[in-house]
């Protein structure tokens, strides 16, 4: 076995492993007087694996690669599924016994390229395991926040789908993971693939479709907006932008849902307007959808305009943010550029300019009569 993993066969001085007695105990096995080993439970193959990994922890990565390849190499779908279930069983057990998620993460990452269902099943079962669940869910938080390094697109999608399936059991924490993963759709200077964004959107839609969960979601996102510069503030911004892109037959679902919360909508749009830098693409896409709705559906126009005006500055807000005003201007000109493209109707420019004028008039620094003679 060790030769397959290209382990250096040269003997090493001194004891490097656990020692045979400690090793057999760690693997739930007994060392008999004749030198043989007897395992204490009936899953002998898994017990042998445990024994091997306890004795050769430095070969964990090679072993993981080899194990993942065994499942992927099987042409018989049913046989591959059976083997994957066995591998999942001892991987979760190993995670619980050794209190480490390294094997779980590496195996799921490798499977994510060609055994997505098995990888997702393993992440879900590990998160629900009585002995490993807390450890695993904490690891998902670190992975989602990027604390364990950059995640591949394929692994990110599998993790998103696992969180989506865990929503019924852990709705609040899984919302947190999805929101944090949404912030990782841009990795440094590199844009994540569209499949990642699509997976995030599908997962958030699934959660929002559970009407009973919406009040908790609104509360959670509102709490995250208290500091727009924090990771939670960014997560709330991205999560809301995804939800704001949800459509219905009559317009944006957040605007037309019977249980809509107008004050919450204004607050979330306010958080979506960055006070410095450029608006995220997800926000720009959602904003364009709402403005296009205002253009095409006059019965929703006044409501949308008023929500955007109050998102920049509400009458009860003593502090006027010029940064939000600038962000709104950027979004408006992104939706209706100057000069307008050939395929854009003139009404879009008129709607843009009307909203720009209204925003200018509500700026406390704007003179009440800008054209009156100055004393």
């Amino acid at each position: 076995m060790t030769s397959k993993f290209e382990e250096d066969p040269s003997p090493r001085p001194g004891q490097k492993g656990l020692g045979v007695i400690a090793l057999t105990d760690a693997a739930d096995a007994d060392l008999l007087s004749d030198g043989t080993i007897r395992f204490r439970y009936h899953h002998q193959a898994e017990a042998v694996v445990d024994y091997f990994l306890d004795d050769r922890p430095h070969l964990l990565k090679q072993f993981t690669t080899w194990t993942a390849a065994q499942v992927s190499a099987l042409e018989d779908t049913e046989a591959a599924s059976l083997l994957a279930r066995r591998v999942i069983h001892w991987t979760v057990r190993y995670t619980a016994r050794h209190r480490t998620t390294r094997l779980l993460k590496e195996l799921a990452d490798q499977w994510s390229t060609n055994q997505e269902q098995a990888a997702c099943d393993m992440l879900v079962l590990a998160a629900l395991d009585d002995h490993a669940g807390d450890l695993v869910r904490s690891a998902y938080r670190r992975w989602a926040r990027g604390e364990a390094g950059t995640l591949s697109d394929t692994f990110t999608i599998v993790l998103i789908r696992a969180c989506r399936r865990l929503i019924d059991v852990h709705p609040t924490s899984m919302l947190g993971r999805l929101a944090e993963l949404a912030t990782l759709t841009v990795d440094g200077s590199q844009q994540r693939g569209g499949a990642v964004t699509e997976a995030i959107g599908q997962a958030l839609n699934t959660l929002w479709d559970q009407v009973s969960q919406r009040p908790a979601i609104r509360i959670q996102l509102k709490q995250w907006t208290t500091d727009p510069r924090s990771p939670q503030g960014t997560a709330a911004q991205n999560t809301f932008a995804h939800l704001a892109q949800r459509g219905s037959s009559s317009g944006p679902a957040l605007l037309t849902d019977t249980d809509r919360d107008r004050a919450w909508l204004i607050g979330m749009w306010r958080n979506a307007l960055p006070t410095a830098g450029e608006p995220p693409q997800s926000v720009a896409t959602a904003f364009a959808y709402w403005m296009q709705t205002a253009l095409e559906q006059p019965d929703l126009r006044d409501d949308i305009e008023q929500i955007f005006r109050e998102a920049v500055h509400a009458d009860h807000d003593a502090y006027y943010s010029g940064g939000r005003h600038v962000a709104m201007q950027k979004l408006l000109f992104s939706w209706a550029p100057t000069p307008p493209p050939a395929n854009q109707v003139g009404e879009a420019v008129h709607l843009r300019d009307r909203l720009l004028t209204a925003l200018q008039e509500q700026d406390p620094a704007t003179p009440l009569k800008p054209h009156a003679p100055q004393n």
Side-chain angles (χ1 to χ4, degrees), residues 204-205 208 217 221 238-246 254 264:
L204 291 172
N205 288 340
W208 189 261
I217 296 173
L221 293 182
N238 280 275
T239 302
F240 174 73
H242 281 289
L243 293 176
Q245 295 175 44
R246 286 170 53 94
L254 290 185
W264 180 80

Side-chain angles (χ1 to χ4, degrees), residues 181-358:
L181 285 166
T183 68
L184 291 183
T185 54
V186 176
D187 175 33
S189 60
Q190 179 175 314
Q191 182 77 22
R192 286 287 192 186
V196 175
T197 302
E198 182 180 353
I200 283 286
Q202 290 175 348
L204 291 172
N205 288 340
T206 297
L207 182 56
W208 189 261
D209 283 338
Q210 301 178 24
V211 178
S212 62
Q213 297 292 347
R214 291 181 185 178
I217 296 173
R218 291 190 181 105
I219 292 173
Q220 185 69 72
L221 293 182
K222 185 177 180 180
Q223 289 175 347
W224 287 346
T225 64
T226 54
D227 184 359
R229 295 165 297 180
S230 71
Q232 289 80 11
T234 303
Q237 187 181 66
N238 280 275
T239 302
F240 174 73
H242 281 289
L243 293 176
Q245 295 175 44
R246 286 170 53 94
S248 69
S249 59
S250 54
L254 290 185
L255 185 66
T256 59
D257 282 340
T258 56
D259 65 339
R260 78 165 190 169
D261 184 331
R262 191 174 185 280
W264 180 80
L265 281 176
I266 293 170
M268 295 308 301
W269 271 116
R270 174 172 295 199
N271 181 70
L273 299 174
T275 55
E278 298 296 320
Q281 183 57 48
S282 59
V283 172
T285 301
F287 179 82
Y289 174 43
W290 281 50
M291 287 300 295
Q292 197 64 30
T293 300
L295 182 66
E296 297 172 357
Q297 301 192 40
D299 57 319
L300 295 177
R301 185 175 303 162
D302 289 345
D303 205 9
I304 291 174
E305 288 188 54
Q306 188 62 28
I307 287 173
F308 286 154
R309 289 177 60 183
E310 292 189 42
V312 174
H313 181 68
D315 292 338
H316 58 78
D317 187 358
Y319 172 70
Y320 183 84
S321 172
R324 286 199 299 268
H325 190 166
V326 171
M328 181 62 75
Q329 289 176 327
K330 291 178 178 179
L331 288 172
L332 284 166
F333 278 101
S334 174
W335 172 65
T338 297
N343 62 340
Q344 192 169 61
V345 297
E347 286 81 358
V349 174
H350 295 317
L351 179 58
R352 179 202 68 191
D353 290 346
R354 189 172 74 227
L355 187 51
L356 285 170
T357 299

Side-chain angles (χ1 to χ4, degrees), residues 11-297:
R12 294 175 293 172
Q15 179 176 310
K16 299 300 180 183
L18 292 171
V20 67
I21 296 177
L23 181 61
T24 52
D25 182 65
D28 285 345
D30 295 315
L31 179 64
L32 304 182
S33 58
D34 61 358
T36 60
I37 294 173
R38 180 179 64 195
F39 293 102
R40 300 171 186 167
Y41 57 99
H42 65 280
H43 296 292
Q44 185 170 331
E46 288 84 348
V48 172
V49 170
D50 284 343
Y51 187 95
F52 172 78
L53 291 177
D54 284 331
D55 192 42
R56 296 290 195 276
H58 57 284
L59 293 179
L60 178 62
K61 186 171 184 61
Q62 294 94 317
F63 178 78
T64 306
T65 302
W66 176 82
T67 303
Q70 302 313 299
V71 176
S72 302
L74 290 175
E75 296 182 0
D76 187 319
T77 304
E78 185 175 351
S81 178
L82 289 172
L83 180 57
R85 285 202 292 269
R86 294 191 68 178
V87 172
I88 289 171
H89 170 81
W90 64 253
T91 301
V92 174
R93 187 175 185 278
Y94 179 90
T95 300
R97 287 181 60 245
H98 291 266
R99 310 306 297 168
T100 174
T101 57
R102 181 183 169 193
L103 174 64
L104 178 74
K105 182 175 184 292
E106 291 190 357
L107 184 56
D109 194 4
Q110 291 180 55
W111 270 353
S112 69
T113 60
N114 51 25
Q115 295 287 334
E116 300 92 336
Q117 188 60 52
C120 187
D121 289 344
M122 183 168 62
L123 293 178
V124 171
L125 290 174
L128 296 176
D129 184 75
D130 290 340
H131 304 289
D134 289 342
L135 173 74
V136 170
R137 292 192 298 275
S138 295
Y140 293 176
R141 182 172 62 249
R142 296 195 305 274
W143 302 348
R145 292 177 177 176
E147 296 174 5
T150 302
L151 307 180
S152 67
D153 278 8
T154 56
F155 180 73
T156 302
I157 290 171
V158 166
L159 184 56
I160 290 167
R161 291 174 179 169
C163 292
R164 176 180 173 180
R165 287 170 57 182
L166 290 164
I167 279 172
D168 289 340
V169 184
H170 300 285
T172 302
S173 61
M174 288 306 109
L175 172 64
R177 302 298 80 77
L178 289 171
E180 288 156 348
L181 285 166
T183 68
L184 291 183
T185 54
V186 176
D187 175 33
S189 60
Q190 179 175 314
Q191 182 77 22
R192 286 287 192 186
V196 175
T197 302
E198 182 180 353
I200 283 286
Q202 290 175 348
L204 291 172
N205 288 340
T206 297
L207 182 56
W208 189 261
D209 283 338
Q210 301 178 24
V211 178
S212 62
Q213 297 292 347
R214 291 181 185 178
I217 296 173
R218 291 190 181 105
I219 292 173
Q220 185 69 72
L221 293 182
K222 185 177 180 180
Q223 289 175 347
W224 287 346
T225 64
T226 54
D227 184 359
R229 295 165 297 180
S230 71
Q232 289 80 11
T234 303
Q237 187 181 66
N238 280 275
T239 302
F240 174 73
H242 281 289
L243 293 176
Q245 295 175 44
R246 286 170 53 94
S248 69
S249 59
S250 54
L254 290 185
L255 185 66
T256 59
D257 282 340
T258 56
D259 65 339
R260 78 165 190 169
D261 184 331
R262 191 174 185 280
W264 180 80
L265 281 176
I266 293 170
M268 295 308 301
W269 271 116
R270 174 172 295 199
N271 181 70
L273 299 174
T275 55
E278 298 296 320
Q281 183 57 48
S282 59
V283 172
T285 301
F287 179 82
Y289 174 43
W290 281 50
M291 287 300 295
Q292 197 64 30
T293 300
L295 182 66
E296 297 172 357
Q297 301 192 40

